Amino acid sequence: MARIEHEGGNRTVEHHGGGPARHPSYEGVWRFTAAAVDVSVPQARHAVRDLLVRQGVPVHEEIMDGLLLIVSELVTNAVRHAALLSPEIAVEVAIGPEWIRVSVEDNHPYRPKALEADYGQTGGRGLLLVREIAQESGGACDVEHTASGGKIIWAAMPLAPMAPGPGAAIHQPVVTSPRTDPSVP
C-alpha cells in the first residue's frame, strides 16, 4: 500500500449497554491508499488483517473472516469498475469499542446497487455478498457519495457475533454512516 494514515477516535457508534462506553486502546481510524490495480486486492486484505492483529483488536474469528472477504470484494470492485476514472483508491478501517467498519473510496461517480442473485450470471453479486455478510453479523453496509463526486462503499460489523435469541439486538451497537459529512475526514 502506498500510504498509511491514522486518526484517533472517529465515533460513529451509539452504545446501548448499561453504563458509559469505554474507549479501548485499539480504537481509531486508519486509511490506506493504493493504486487501483489487481495486486492491491491481496495487499489491502493483508494490511487490514495485520492492522487488526497489531492493534490487538478482539475481533471474533468468524467476523474477521467475513471482514476480510468484504475488503477483498470492495477493493476488487473498485479495481475492476472505477480504475479508469480513479487510478487511486483508499481503504479506511475504523474501530470502535464494539464494532469495526471498513470502507473503500474511489473517484468514480457511479453508485452501484447490490444485485439480486441471478444464477445465470457469472458476476455481479459482490455487493450482494457484502450486504449479506454484514447483515448476518448484525452489521450494515451502504454506498455514499463523496464531496468530490466519487463514492464510499462501507460495511460495519460488531467485533463479536450477535447472540442468538429474542432481544439479542438490544445490546448490539448501532453503527451509522462512516461520516456524517463526507467532506470531513
Side-chain angles (χ1 to χ4, degrees):
M1 311 251 66
R3 265 189 332 254
I4 301 173
E5 300 171 12
H6 174 258
E7 301 171 17
N10 183 353
R11 309 287 193 285
T12 56
V13 160
E14 296 173 26
H15 182 71
H16 292 285
R22 294 187 323 258
H23 302 292
S25 61
Y26 56 79
E27 218 181 329
V29 178
W30 291 263
R31 187 172 177 87
F32 306 84
T33 57
V37 294
D38 289 337
V39 72
S40 294
V41 176
Q43 286 177 342
R45 186 176 55 250
H46 293 300
V48 170
R49 184 193 62 225
D50 293 347
L51 170 69
L52 299 178
V53 169
R54 185 176 61 248
Q55 291 302 117
V57 179
V59 62
H60 188 274
E61 182 179 348
E62 180 181 316
I63 299 294
M64 174 78 89
D65 292 344
L67 186 72
L68 295 177
L69 180 55
I70 286 171
V71 169
S72 293
E73 286 294 329
L74 295 181
V75 174
T76 296
N77 284 351
V79 167
R80 284 189 183 159
H81 304 294
L84 184 60
L85 296 178
S86 185
E88 185 175 83
I89 60 171
V91 177
E92 186 174 278
V93 179
I95 306 167
E98 298 175 359
W99 56 273
I100 183 165
R101 184 194 68 239
V102 294
S103 59
V104 175
E105 181 177 348
D106 64 58
N107 291 322
H108 197 289
Y110 175 68
R111 186 174 174 163
K113 293 179 175 35
L115 302 176
E116 294 303 320
D118 176 355
Y119 297 103
Q121 253 185 322
T122 58
R125 292 185 289 272
L127 285 180
L128 176 65
L129 178 63
V130 168
R131 183 183 70 200
E132 293 301 316
I133 291 170
Q135 289 177 346
E136 186 176 292
S137 72
C141 67
D142 202 0
V143 180
E144 299 179 355
H145 290 289
T146 63
S148 64
K151 66 184 164 301
I152 297 172
I153 304 175
W154 61 270
M157 302 163 66
L159 292 176
M162 288 187 353
I170 293 172
H171 298 293
Q172 294 295 324
V174 176
V175 183
T176 60
S177 163
R179 299 176 187 91
T180 53
D181 178 357
S183 63
V184 176

mmCIF file with all atom_site columns, all heavy atoms in Angstrom, residues 18-40:
data_model
loop_
_atom_site.group_PDB
_atom_site.id
_atom_site.type_symbol
_atom_site.label_atom_id
_atom_site.label_alt_id
_atom_site.label_comp_id
_atom_site.label_asym_id
_atom_site.label_entity_id
_atom_site.label_seq_id
_atom_site.pdbx_PDB_ins_code
_atom_site.Cartn_x
_atom_site.Cartn_y
_atom_site.Cartn_z
_atom_site.occupancy
_atom_site.B_iso_or_equiv
_atom_site.pdbx_formal_charge
_atom_site.auth_seq_id
_atom_site.auth_comp_id
_atom_site.auth_asym_id
_atom_site.auth_atom_id
_atom_site.pdbx_PDB_model_num
ATOM 1   N N   . GLY A 1 18 ? -25.604 -0.874 29.416  1.00 0.00 ? 18 GLY A N   1
ATOM 2   C CA  . GLY A 1 18 ? -25.755 -0.163 30.676  1.00 0.00 ? 18 GLY A CA  1
ATOM 3   C C   . GLY A 1 18 ? -24.439 0.471  31.072  1.00 0.00 ? 18 GLY A C   1
ATOM 4   O O   . GLY A 1 18 ? -23.423 -0.189 31.121  1.00 0.00 ? 18 GLY A O   1
ATOM 5   N N   . GLY A 1 19 ? -24.383 1.732  31.318  1.00 0.00 ? 19 GLY A N   1
ATOM 6   C CA  . GLY A 1 19 ? -23.162 2.403  31.748  1.00 0.00 ? 19 GLY A CA  1
ATOM 7   C C   . GLY A 1 19 ? -22.472 3.110  30.609  1.00 0.00 ? 19 GLY A C   1
ATOM 8   O O   . GLY A 1 19 ? -22.802 2.925  29.446  1.00 0.00 ? 19 GLY A O   1
ATOM 9   N N   . PRO A 1 20 ? -21.480 3.915  30.936  1.00 0.00 ? 20 PRO A N   1
ATOM 10  C CA  . PRO A 1 20 ? -20.792 4.694  29.910  1.00 0.00 ? 20 PRO A CA  1
ATOM 11  C C   . PRO A 1 20 ? -19.915 3.816  29.015  1.00 0.00 ? 20 PRO A C   1
ATOM 12  O O   . PRO A 1 20 ? -19.381 2.802  29.447  1.00 0.00 ? 20 PRO A O   1
ATOM 13  C CB  . PRO A 1 20 ? -19.933 5.670  30.723  1.00 0.00 ? 20 PRO A CB  1
ATOM 14  C CG  . PRO A 1 20 ? -19.725 4.994  32.038  1.00 0.00 ? 20 PRO A CG  1
ATOM 15  C CD  . PRO A 1 20 ? -20.957 4.166  32.272  1.00 0.00 ? 20 PRO A CD  1
ATOM 16  N N   . ALA A 1 21 ? -19.793 4.204  27.750  1.00 0.00 ? 21 ALA A N   1
ATOM 17  C CA  . ALA A 1 21 ? -18.954 3.473  26.806  1.00 0.00 ? 21 ALA A CA  1
ATOM 18  C C   . ALA A 1 21 ? -17.484 3.777  27.097  1.00 0.00 ? 21 ALA A C   1
ATOM 19  O O   . ALA A 1 21 ? -17.115 4.913  27.325  1.00 0.00 ? 21 ALA A O   1
ATOM 20  C CB  . ALA A 1 21 ? -19.296 3.879  25.375  1.00 0.00 ? 21 ALA A CB  1
ATOM 21  N N   . ARG A 1 22 ? -16.654 2.718  27.102  1.00 0.00 ? 22 ARG A N   1
ATOM 22  C CA  . ARG A 1 22 ? -15.211 2.887  27.289  1.00 0.00 ? 22 ARG A CA  1
ATOM 23  C C   . ARG A 1 22 ? -14.573 2.992  25.912  1.00 0.00 ? 22 ARG A C   1
ATOM 24  O O   . ARG A 1 22 ? -15.102 2.513  24.929  1.00 0.00 ? 22 ARG A O   1
ATOM 25  C CB  . ARG A 1 22 ? -14.634 1.683  28.027  1.00 0.00 ? 22 ARG A CB  1
ATOM 26  C CG  . ARG A 1 22 ? -15.136 1.555  29.437  1.00 0.00 ? 22 ARG A CG  1
ATOM 27  C CD  . ARG A 1 22 ? -14.405 0.436  30.166  1.00 0.00 ? 22 ARG A CD  1
ATOM 28  N NE  . ARG A 1 22 ? -14.110 -0.704 29.319  1.00 0.00 ? 22 ARG A NE  1
ATOM 29  C CZ  . ARG A 1 22 ? -14.791 -1.842 29.303  1.00 0.00 ? 22 ARG A CZ  1
ATOM 30  N NH1 . ARG A 1 22 ? -15.830 -1.997 30.068  1.00 0.00 ? 22 ARG A NH1 1
ATOM 31  N NH2 . ARG A 1 22 ? -14.440 -2.828 28.513  1.00 0.00 ? 22 ARG A NH2 1
ATOM 32  N N   . HIS A 1 23 ? -13.380 3.566  25.856  1.00 0.00 ? 23 HIS A N   1
ATOM 33  C CA  . HIS A 1 23 ? -12.668 3.706  24.594  1.00 0.00 ? 23 HIS A CA  1
ATOM 34  C C   . HIS A 1 23 ? -11.354 2.939  24.682  1.00 0.00 ? 23 HIS A C   1
ATOM 35  O O   . HIS A 1 23 ? -10.354 3.467  25.145  1.00 0.00 ? 23 HIS A O   1
ATOM 36  C CB  . HIS A 1 23 ? -12.430 5.176  24.271  1.00 0.00 ? 23 HIS A CB  1
ATOM 37  C CG  . HIS A 1 23 ? -13.711 5.952  24.203  1.00 0.00 ? 23 HIS A CG  1
ATOM 38  N ND1 . HIS A 1 23 ? -14.634 5.757  23.208  1.00 0.00 ? 23 HIS A ND1 1
ATOM 39  C CD2 . HIS A 1 23 ? -14.242 6.873  25.012  1.00 0.00 ? 23 HIS A CD2 1
ATOM 40  C CE1 . HIS A 1 23 ? -15.680 6.539  23.409  1.00 0.00 ? 23 HIS A CE1 1
ATOM 41  N NE2 . HIS A 1 23 ? -15.458 7.226  24.504  1.00 0.00 ? 23 HIS A NE2 1
ATOM 42  N N   . PRO A 1 24 ? -11.346 1.664  24.244  1.00 0.00 ? 24 PRO A N   1
ATOM 43  C CA  . PRO A 1 24 ? -10.151 0.826  24.329  1.00 0.00 ? 24 PRO A CA  1
ATOM 44  C C   . PRO A 1 24 ? -9.004  1.380  23.498  1.00 0.00 ? 24 PRO A C   1
ATOM 45  O O   . PRO A 1 24 ? -9.197  2.171  22.582  1.00 0.00 ? 24 PRO A O   1
ATOM 46  C CB  . PRO A 1 24 ? -10.617 -0.524 23.776  1.00 0.00 ? 24 PRO A CB  1
ATOM 47  C CG  . PRO A 1 24 ? -12.105 -0.487 23.830  1.00 0.00 ? 24 PRO A CG  1
ATOM 48  C CD  . PRO A 1 24 ? -12.485 0.950  23.706  1.00 0.00 ? 24 PRO A CD  1
ATOM 49  N N   . SER A 1 25 ? -7.791  0.902  23.797  1.00 0.00 ? 25 SER A N   1
ATOM 50  C CA  . SER A 1 25 ? -6.601  1.406  23.123  1.00 0.00 ? 25 SER A CA  1
ATOM 51  C C   . SER A 1 25 ? -6.554  1.056  21.641  1.00 0.00 ? 25 SER A C   1
ATOM 52  O O   . SER A 1 25 ? -5.842  1.692  20.884  1.00 0.00 ? 25 SER A O   1
ATOM 53  C CB  . SER A 1 25 ? -5.352  0.866  23.814  1.00 0.00 ? 25 SER A CB  1
ATOM 54  O OG  . SER A 1 25 ? -5.342  -0.555 23.743  1.00 0.00 ? 25 SER A OG  1
ATOM 55  N N   . TYR A 1 26 ? -7.290  0.053  21.210  1.00 0.00 ? 26 TYR A N   1
ATOM 56  C CA  . TYR A 1 26 ? -7.282  -0.310 19.794  1.00 0.00 ? 26 TYR A CA  1
ATOM 57  C C   . TYR A 1 26 ? -8.182  0.576  18.947  1.00 0.00 ? 26 TYR A C   1
ATOM 58  O O   . TYR A 1 26 ? -8.203  0.477  17.740  1.00 0.00 ? 26 TYR A O   1
ATOM 59  C CB  . TYR A 1 26 ? -7.676  -1.779 19.595  1.00 0.00 ? 26 TYR A CB  1
ATOM 60  C CG  . TYR A 1 26 ? -9.011  -2.165 20.190  1.00 0.00 ? 26 TYR A CG  1
ATOM 61  C CD1 . TYR A 1 26 ? -10.205 -1.861 19.546  1.00 0.00 ? 26 TYR A CD1 1
ATOM 62  C CD2 . TYR A 1 26 ? -9.064  -2.844 21.392  1.00 0.00 ? 26 TYR A CD2 1
ATOM 63  C CE1 . TYR A 1 26 ? -11.422 -2.214 20.086  1.00 0.00 ? 26 TYR A CE1 1
ATOM 64  C CE2 . TYR A 1 26 ? -10.285 -3.216 21.944  1.00 0.00 ? 26 TYR A CE2 1
ATOM 65  C CZ  . TYR A 1 26 ? -11.451 -2.904 21.296  1.00 0.00 ? 26 TYR A CZ  1
ATOM 66  O OH  . TYR A 1 26 ? -12.662 -3.269 21.824  1.00 0.00 ? 26 TYR A OH  1
ATOM 67  N N   . GLU A 1 27 ? -8.922  1.465  19.540  1.00 0.00 ? 27 GLU A N   1
ATOM 68  C CA  . GLU A 1 27 ? -9.870  2.310  18.828  1.00 0.00 ? 27 GLU A CA  1
ATOM 69  C C   . GLU A 1 27 ? -9.146  3.345  17.964  1.00 0.00 ? 27 GLU A C   1
ATOM 70  O O   . GLU A 1 27 ? -8.127  3.887  18.356  1.00 0.00 ? 27 GLU A O   1
ATOM 71  C CB  . GLU A 1 27 ? -10.726 3.048  19.854  1.00 0.00 ? 27 GLU A CB  1
ATOM 72  C CG  . GLU A 1 27 ? -12.145 3.190  19.463  1.00 0.00 ? 27 GLU A CG  1
ATOM 73  C CD  . GLU A 1 27 ? -12.945 3.940  20.500  1.00 0.00 ? 27 GLU A CD  1
ATOM 74  O OE1 . GLU A 1 27 ? -12.627 3.856  21.691  1.00 0.00 ? 27 GLU A OE1 1
ATOM 75  O OE2 . GLU A 1 27 ? -13.884 4.611  20.082  1.00 0.00 ? 27 GLU A OE2 1
ATOM 76  N N   . GLY A 1 28 ? -9.681  3.621  16.787  1.00 0.00 ? 28 GLY A N   1
ATOM 77  C CA  . GLY A 1 28 ? -9.115  4.651  15.930  1.00 0.00 ? 28 GLY A CA  1
ATOM 78  C C   . GLY A 1 28 ? -9.536  4.464  14.487  1.00 0.00 ? 28 GLY A C   1
ATOM 79  O O   . GLY A 1 28 ? -10.362 3.613  14.161  1.00 0.00 ? 28 GLY A O   1
ATOM 80  N N   . VAL A 1 29 ? -8.959  5.274  13.623  1.00 0.00 ? 29 VAL A N   1
ATOM 81  C CA  . VAL A 1 29 ? -9.258  5.234  12.198  1.00 0.00 ? 29 VAL A CA  1
ATOM 82  C C   . VAL A 1 29 ? -7.932  5.204  11.440  1.00 0.00 ? 29 VAL A C   1
ATOM 83  O O   . VAL A 1 29 ? -7.044  6.023  11.696  1.00 0.00 ? 29 VAL A O   1
ATOM 84  C CB  . VAL A 1 29 ? -10.078 6.470  11.752  1.00 0.00 ? 29 VAL A CB  1
ATOM 85  C CG1 . VAL A 1 29 ? -10.334 6.449  10.249  1.00 0.00 ? 29 VAL A CG1 1
ATOM 86  C CG2 . VAL A 1 29 ? -11.382 6.549  12.523  1.00 0.00 ? 29 VAL A CG2 1
ATOM 87  N N   . TRP A 1 30 ? -7.794  4.255  10.523  1.00 0.00 ? 30 TRP A N   1
ATOM 88  C CA  . TRP A 1 30 ? -6.602  4.134  9.693   1.00 0.00 ? 30 TRP A CA  1
ATOM 89  C C   . TRP A 1 30 ? -7.043  4.165  8.241   1.00 0.00 ? 30 TRP A C   1
ATOM 90  O O   . TRP A 1 30 ? -8.097  3.648  7.882   1.00 0.00 ? 30 TRP A O   1
ATOM 91  C CB  . TRP A 1 30 ? -5.888  2.812  9.974   1.00 0.00 ? 30 TRP A CB  1
ATOM 92  C CG  . TRP A 1 30 ? -5.277  2.771  11.327  1.00 0.00 ? 30 TRP A CG  1
ATOM 93  C CD1 . TRP A 1 30 ? -3.986  3.038  11.646  1.00 0.00 ? 30 TRP A CD1 1
ATOM 94  C CD2 . TRP A 1 30 ? -5.928  2.438  12.561  1.00 0.00 ? 30 TRP A CD2 1
ATOM 95  N NE1 . TRP A 1 30 ? -3.798  2.901  13.001  1.00 0.00 ? 30 TRP A NE1 1
ATOM 96  C CE2 . TRP A 1 30 ? -4.977  2.539  13.587  1.00 0.00 ? 30 TRP A CE2 1
ATOM 97  C CE3 . TRP A 1 30 ? -7.239  2.082  12.896  1.00 0.00 ? 30 TRP A CE3 1
ATOM 98  C CZ2 . TRP A 1 30 ? -5.274  2.276  14.911  1.00 0.00 ? 30 TRP A CZ2 1
ATOM 99  C CZ3 . TRP A 1 30 ? -7.539  1.827  14.230  1.00 0.00 ? 30 TRP A CZ3 1
ATOM 100 C CH2 . TRP A 1 30 ? -6.559  1.929  15.211  1.00 0.00 ? 30 TRP A CH2 1
ATOM 101 N N   . ARG A 1 31 ? -6.223  4.764  7.396   1.00 0.00 ? 31 ARG A N   1
ATOM 102 C CA  . ARG A 1 31 ? -6.553  4.913  5.977   1.00 0.00 ? 31 ARG A CA  1
ATOM 103 C C   . ARG A 1 31 ? -5.353  4.449  5.152   1.00 0.00 ? 31 ARG A C   1
ATOM 104 O O   . ARG A 1 31 ? -4.242  4.920  5.358   1.00 0.00 ? 31 ARG A O   1
ATOM 105 C CB  . ARG A 1 31 ? -6.886  6.367  5.693   1.00 0.00 ? 31 ARG A CB  1
ATOM 106 C CG  . ARG A 1 31 ? -7.414  6.640  4.319   1.00 0.00 ? 31 ARG A CG  1
ATOM 107 C CD  . ARG A 1 31 ? -7.898  8.101  4.257   1.00 0.00 ? 31 ARG A CD  1
ATOM 108 N NE  . ARG A 1 31 ? -8.354  8.469  2.967   1.00 0.00 ? 31 ARG A NE  1
ATOM 109 C CZ  . ARG A 1 31 ? -9.596  8.294  2.527   1.00 0.00 ? 31 ARG A CZ  1
ATOM 110 N NH1 . ARG A 1 31 ? -10.494 7.750  3.306   1.00 0.00 ? 31 ARG A NH1 1
ATOM 111 N NH2 . ARG A 1 31 ? -9.937  8.656  1.322   1.00 0.00 ? 31 ARG A NH2 1
ATOM 112 N N   . PHE A 1 32 ? -5.595  3.537  4.221   1.00 0.00 ? 32 PHE A N   1
ATOM 113 C CA  . PHE A 1 32 ? -4.579  3.021  3.322   1.00 0.00 ? 32 PHE A CA  1
ATOM 114 C C   . PHE A 1 32 ? -4.913  3.510  1.915   1.00 0.00 ? 32 PHE A C   1
ATOM 115 O O   . PHE A 1 32 ? -6.077  3.473  1.527   1.00 0.00 ? 32 PHE A O   1
ATOM 116 C CB  . PHE A 1 32 ? -4.603  1.492  3.290   1.00 0.00 ? 32 PHE A CB  1
ATOM 117 C CG  . PHE A 1 32 ? -4.495  0.830  4.638   1.00 0.00 ? 32 PHE A CG  1
ATOM 118 C CD1 . PHE A 1 32 ? -5.616  0.644  5.437   1.00 0.00 ? 32 PHE A CD1 1
ATOM 119 C CD2 . PHE A 1 32 ? -3.277  0.370  5.089   1.00 0.00 ? 32 PHE A CD2 1
ATOM 120 C CE1 . PHE A 1 32 ? -5.532  0.022  6.669   1.00 0.00 ? 32 PHE A CE1 1
ATOM 121 C CE2 . PHE A 1 32 ? -3.177  -0.251 6.325   1.00 0.00 ? 32 PHE A CE2 1
ATOM 122 C CZ  . PHE A 1 32 ? -4.298  -0.433 7.112   1.00 0.00 ? 32 PHE A CZ  1
ATOM 123 N N   . THR A 1 33 ? -3.925  3.929  1.170   1.00 0.00 ? 33 THR A N   1
ATOM 124 C CA  . THR A 1 33 ? -4.167  4.283  -0.227  1.00 0.00 ? 33 THR A CA  1
ATOM 125 C C   . THR A 1 33 ? -3.321  3.377  -1.108  1.00 0.00 ? 33 THR A C   1
ATOM 126 O O   . THR A 1 33 ? -2.238  2.938  -0.718  1.00 0.00 ? 33 THR A O   1
ATOM 127 C CB  . THR A 1 33 ? -3.835  5.755  -0.520  1.00 0.00 ? 33 THR A CB  1
ATOM 128 O OG1 . THR A 1 33 ? -2.479  6.012  -0.168  1.00 0.00 ? 33 THR A OG1 1
ATOM 129 C CG2 . THR A 1 33 ? -4.760  6.684  0.262   1.00 0.00 ? 33 THR A CG2 1
ATOM 130 N N   . ALA A 1 34 ? -3.845  3.091  -2.294  1.00 0.00 ? 34 ALA A N   1
ATOM 131 C CA  . ALA A 1 34 ? -3.154  2.203  -3.216  1.00 0.00 ? 34 ALA A CA  1
ATOM 132 C C   . ALA A 1 34 ? -3.607  2.488  -4.632  1.00 0.00 ? 34 ALA A C   1
ATOM 133 O O   . ALA A 1 34 ? -4.666  3.078  -4.856  1.00 0.00 ? 34 ALA A O   1
ATOM 134 C CB  . ALA A 1 34 ? -3.445  0.752  -2.864  1.00 0.00 ? 34 ALA A CB  1
ATOM 135 N N   . ALA A 1 35 ? -2.809  2.029  -5.569  1.00 0.00 ? 35 ALA A N   1
ATOM 136 C CA  . ALA A 1 35 ? -3.185  2.117  -6.982  1.00 0.00 ? 35 ALA A CA  1
ATOM 137 C C   . ALA A 1 35 ? -4.363  1.181  -7.229  1.00 0.00 ? 35 ALA A C   1
ATOM 138 O O   . ALA A 1 35 ? -4.484  0.135  -6.584  1.00 0.00 ? 35 ALA A O   1
ATOM 139 C CB  . ALA A 1 35 ? -2.004  1.725  -7.862  1.00 0.00 ? 35 ALA A CB  1
ATOM 140 N N   . ALA A 1 36 ? -5.227  1.536  -8.152  1.00 0.00 ? 36 ALA A N   1
ATOM 141 C CA  . ALA A 1 36 ? -6.387  0.709  -8.497  1.00 0.00 ? 36 ALA A CA  1
ATOM 142 C C   . ALA A 1 36 ? -5.953  -0.367 -9.488  1.00 0.00 ? 36 ALA A C   1
ATOM 143 O O   . ALA A 1 36 ? -6.294  -0.334 -10.671 1.00 0.00 ? 36 ALA A O   1
ATOM 144 C CB  . ALA A 1 36 ? -7.507  1.568  -9.055  1.00 0.00 ? 36 ALA A CB  1
ATOM 145 N N   . VAL A 1 37 ? -5.177  -1.317 -8.986  1.00 0.00 ? 37 VAL A N   1
ATOM 146 C CA  . VAL A 1 37 ? -4.660  -2.428 -9.792  1.00 0.00 ? 37 VAL A CA  1
ATOM 147 C C   . VAL A 1 37 ? -4.912  -3.728 -9.035  1.00 0.00 ? 37 VAL A C   1
ATOM 148 O O   . VAL A 1 37 ? -5.099  -3.732 -7.813  1.00 0.00 ? 37 VAL A O   1
ATOM 149 C CB  . VAL A 1 37 ? -3.157  -2.262 -10.099 1.00 0.00 ? 37 VAL A CB  1
ATOM 150 C CG1 . VAL A 1 37 ? -2.915  -1.051 -11.007 1.00 0.00 ? 37 VAL A CG1 1
ATOM 151 C CG2 . VAL A 1 37 ? -2.337  -2.138 -8.822  1.00 0.00 ? 37 VAL A CG2 1
ATOM 152 N N   . ASP A 1 38 ? -4.887  -4.855 -9.761  1.00 0.00 ? 38 ASP A N   1
ATOM 153 C CA  . ASP A 1 38 ? -5.219  -6.157 -9.173  1.00 0.00 ? 38 ASP A CA  1
ATOM 154 C C   . ASP A 1 38 ? -4.404  -6.502 -7.933  1.00 0.00 ? 38 ASP A C   1
ATOM 155 O O   . ASP A 1 38 ? -4.940  -7.058 -6.974  1.00 0.00 ? 38 ASP A O   1
ATOM 156 C CB  . ASP A 1 38 ? -5.047  -7.266 -10.212 1.00 0.00 ? 38 ASP A CB  1
ATOM 157 C CG  . ASP A 1 38 ? -6.104  -7.228 -11.290 1.00 0.00 ? 38 ASP A CG  1
ATOM 158 O OD1 . ASP A 1 38 ? -7.199  -6.671 -11.047 1.00 0.00 ? 38 ASP A OD1 1
ATOM 159 O OD2 . ASP A 1 38 ? -5.841  -7.760 -12.393 1.00 0.00 ? 38 ASP A OD2 1
ATOM 160 N N   . VAL A 1 39 ? -3.124  -6.185 -7.927  1.00 0.00 ? 39 VAL A N   1
ATOM 161 C CA  . VAL A 1 39 ? -2.266  -6.554 -6.791  1.00 0.00 ? 39 VAL A CA  1
ATOM 162 C C   . VAL A 1 39 ? -2.693  -5.860 -5.493  1.00 0.00 ? 39 VAL A C   1
ATOM 163 O O   . VAL A 1 39 ? -2.373  -6.317 -4.400  1.00 0.00 ? 39 VAL A O   1
ATOM 164 C CB  . VAL A 1 39 ? -0.774  -6.288 -7.123  1.00 0.00 ? 39 VAL A CB  1
ATOM 165 C CG1 . VAL A 1 39 ? -0.477  -4.796 -7.138  1.00 0.00 ? 39 VAL A CG1 1
ATOM 166 C CG2 . VAL A 1 39 ? 0.129   -7.014 -6.142  1.00 0.00 ? 39 VAL A CG2 1
ATOM 167 N N   . SER A 1 40 ? -3.461  -4.797 -5.605  1.00 0.00 ? 40 SER A N   1
ATOM 168 C CA  . SER A 1 40 ? -3.933  -4.085 -4.416  1.00 0.00 ? 40 SER A CA  1
ATOM 169 C C   . SER A 1 40 ? -4.972  -4.877 -3.628  1.00 0.00 ? 40 SER A C   1
ATOM 170 O O   . SER A 1 40 ? -5.166  -4.622 -2.437  1.00 0.00 ? 40 SER A O   1
ATOM 171 C CB  . SER A 1 40 ? -4.511  -2.719 -4.804  1.00 0.00 ? 40 SER A CB  1
ATOM 172 O OG  . SER A 1 40 ? -3.484  -1.894 -5.304  1.00 0.00 ? 40 SER A OG  1
#
